[in-house]
Amino acid sequence: MERLKIDPRVRLLLVPIVGIATVAVTDRVAFMLLALGIGGVMYLSGVYKSTTKFLFLIGSTFVLQCLLQKLNMTSLSVLLVTVLYVLQRIMLFAMLGASITSTLTVGELICTLEKFRIPRRAVIPIAVTLRFLPTVKQEFGCIKESMRIRGIDTSVSGFVRHPVQWAEYMLVPMLMRSFKIADELSAAAMVRGIERKGKKTLLYEFKMNPVSLILLAGFIGYSVGVCIL
């Protein structure tokens, strides 16, 4: 299946638009339609695994919420419905974030933010964070694999039984590797002229296509309709 080509600027604009709709919508069916719309955009963009996972979680909380509201509204059921309500909104934002991180490279994200005239003092920390977190995750997996080779239990039960030992074997190497990764990122930024003053050349050219315009107009229309109704 050919992936849907959406302008990166539209993907970032969907964040505040969906955020307004998420806060404004109170009806469960309307919220599920919004979630399915975002899920459809993610699926057509080629993000299959994350889309399935998030839609399953949101759908499960939706069914559980409906079942709880059919019971006698005791204090416990009211509390659970409220917690599920908040979790649904958080998962919707997480799904939208997964769509952006899975379809945009760090370079495209930086160029898009600079197109929006975002100050470089805000762009650079975002770019460094997005480059740093996947590397930390990879290093974390390497450390766990090294612990398994040495016969150290890395499961949850192992952490509960020996928390101090687990922290020593896991956190100390992770901190040392984090310092080295930070130095490597700083050196890479210096080589790429991060301290150079003046306007910088963008590597990516963005052109608004009809699909992006239709998608943007559709979500804006939905958000306005939800706020009015």
Side-chain angles (χ1 to χ4, degrees), residues 182-204:
D183 290 338
E184 292 173 353
L185 287 176
S186 299
M190 292 290 291
V191 170
R192 297 183 182 185
I194 196 171
E195 293 184 343
R196 180 182 179 274
K197 304 297 182 180
K199 186 177 180 181
K200 293 180 173 58
T201 303
L202 300 180
L203 297 177
Y204 301 92

Side-chain angles (χ1 to χ4, degrees), residues 15-16 18-20 22-23 88-98:
V15 175
V18 172
I20 294 173
T22 302
V23 175
Q88 287 175 345
R89 270 67 187 171
I90 294 175
M91 286 188 289
L92 188 63
F93 278 110
M95 183 166 65
L96 190 60

